[in-house]
Amino acid sequence: MEAGSLRGEMWEKRSYILKASAAALAFWLAEFAFQYFFLASGAVRMETSIERSFALAGTTLIGLALAIGPLFALRPEWNFITYRRTLGVAGFTFAVLHVVSVIAFFMGFNPGQIFYSLNPYFNPLIFGVIAFVIFIPLCLTSTDWAMRKLGFRNWKTVHRLAYFAFIATVLHFTQINTPILYNPAGYALVGVTVATFALELAAFAKKVRAGTAGRGAFIGAGIILLALALFSIAFLIKGAVVK
């Protein structure tokens, strides 16, 4: 490759990263402004706004990243695959900041408080921990270098764990403080979440009808069934507690 062409390609990548970072930052700022000026109150208004906006922005972006794959399977002309990695990394970055802000603002830098109970249905923080731990290796391997080292098949197998992490994330944010979802920011997150699972199911159904459903498609369907089982347990437990 000629030097001029290489410099042009590097500049193009740098420009894309800068634009993507600016877009992600703008999205978080919008989430923060909404939390701060319209929802949060009390002595920890700033801290609450920061923590919740990181959580909502991160989870929404991760949901969008996971929706891109099945959307492409259903409508190949809507090809947003090149943005999937960017959305995922940006979402995980906000997730890291969410975890740090919770430990700093509400736990006095004592992360041991997270584990007051190891039952995730009574302590939804555990679901958050599970999701966070799974997302770490996914983020660390979200590079072309990692894909080459692992081989595409192995890399894809590893990155299917993102769906397990997302299920744990959804269980975390729906159980931890449900009322904070009753606003436009929460509705957007719930909408993205429902759309992600619906697209995955629709893509699986399409492959079954076409006779092209391989192991990956059935794994995806199994993950959806697991999610439904876990959500059902959460619903039953919450219903029993309310009664």
Side-chain angles (χ1 to χ4, degrees), residues 156-237:
K156 190 172 183 179
T157 299
V158 170
H159 278 254
R160 283 199 181 104
L161 293 173
Y163 288 97
F164 292 100
F166 190 61
I167 291 169
T169 300
V170 175
L171 286 163
H172 169 66
F173 76 70
T174 55
Q175 301 296 305
I176 193 75
N177 188 359
T178 307
I180 69 171
L181 300 174
Y182 301 152
N183 58 75
Y187 299 148
L189 172 56
V190 172
V192 167
T193 300
V194 172
T196 299
F197 287 124
L199 286 169
E200 191 66 34
L201 281 172
F204 171 73
K206 179 182 178 181
K207 290 178 180 178
V208 169
R209 288 195 301 269
T212 59
R215 185 182 65 173
F218 283 99
I219 290 174
I223 292 172
I224 295 295
L225 291 175
L226 173 64
L228 291 174
L230 292 172
F231 294 150
S232 297
I233 293 171
F235 177 78
L236 291 172
I237 289 176

Side-chain angles (χ1 to χ4, degrees), residues 17-58:
I17 291 172
L18 290 173
K19 290 177 182 177
S21 300
L25 179 60
F27 180 63
W28 171 73
L29 286 172
E31 290 274 15
F32 170 77
F34 182 74
Q35 294 291 324
Y36 185 79
F37 292 108
F38 296 98
L39 297 182
S41 60
V44 291
R45 181 182 181 189
M46 176 63 74
E47 291 89 339
T48 300
S49 300
I50 291 173
E51 173 263 317
R52 288 182 181 174
S53 59
F54 281 145
L56 288 163

Side-chain angles (χ1 to χ4, degrees), residues 7-213:
R7 284 195 297 270
E9 183 177 334
M10 291 177 62
W11 171 251
E12 185 176 340
K13 288 184 178 179
R14 187 180 304 172
S15 177
Y16 171 76
I17 291 172
L18 290 173
K19 290 177 182 177
S21 300
L25 179 60
F27 180 63
W28 171 73
L29 286 172
E31 290 274 15
F32 170 77
F34 182 74
Q35 294 291 324
Y36 185 79
F37 292 108
F38 296 98
L39 297 182
S41 60
V44 291
R45 181 182 181 189
M46 176 63 74
E47 291 89 339
T48 300
S49 300
I50 291 173
E51 173 263 317
R52 288 182 181 174
S53 59
F54 281 145
L56 288 163
T59 309
T60 302
L61 291 176
I62 289 172
L64 289 172
L66 292 176
I68 286 176
L71 179 63
F72 176 70
L74 292 167
R75 301 294 297 268
E77 67 273 19
W78 295 354
N79 187 356
F80 303 106
I81 296 296
T82 53
Y83 303 112
R84 183 167 54 181
R85 182 187 303 177
T86 304
L87 289 168
V89 171
F92 180 71
T93 300
F94 289 132
V96 171
L97 294 172
H98 166 64
V99 171
V100 171
S101 63
V102 169
I103 294 174
F105 296 148
F106 304 109
M107 295 183 178
F109 292 99
N110 180 14
Q113 293 184 32
I114 294 172
F115 304 100
Y116 66 86
S117 169
L118 296 181
N119 185 333
Y121 287 106
F122 292 100
N123 176 17
L125 292 174
I126 299 300
F127 278 127
V129 171
I130 292 171
F132 189 74
V133 169
I134 296 174
F135 276 131
I136 289 174
L138 300 183
C139 184
L140 293 176
T141 57
S142 60
T143 62
D144 293 336
W145 179 85
M147 187 185 298
R148 289 193 299 270
K149 286 294 182 180
L150 292 172
F152 180 73
R153 185 181 295 274
N154 292 331
W155 181 88
K156 190 172 183 179
T157 299
V158 170
H159 278 254
R160 283 199 181 104
L161 293 173
Y163 288 97
F164 292 100
F166 190 61
I167 291 169
T169 300
V170 175
L171 286 163
H172 169 66
F173 76 70
T174 55
Q175 301 296 305
I176 193 75
N177 188 359
T178 307
I180 69 171
L181 300 174
Y182 301 152
N183 58 75
Y187 299 148
L189 172 56
V190 172
V192 167
T193 300
V194 172
T196 299
F197 287 124
L199 286 169
E200 191 66 34
L201 281 172
F204 171 73
K206 179 182 178 181
K207 290 178 180 178
V208 169
R209 288 195 301 269
T212 59

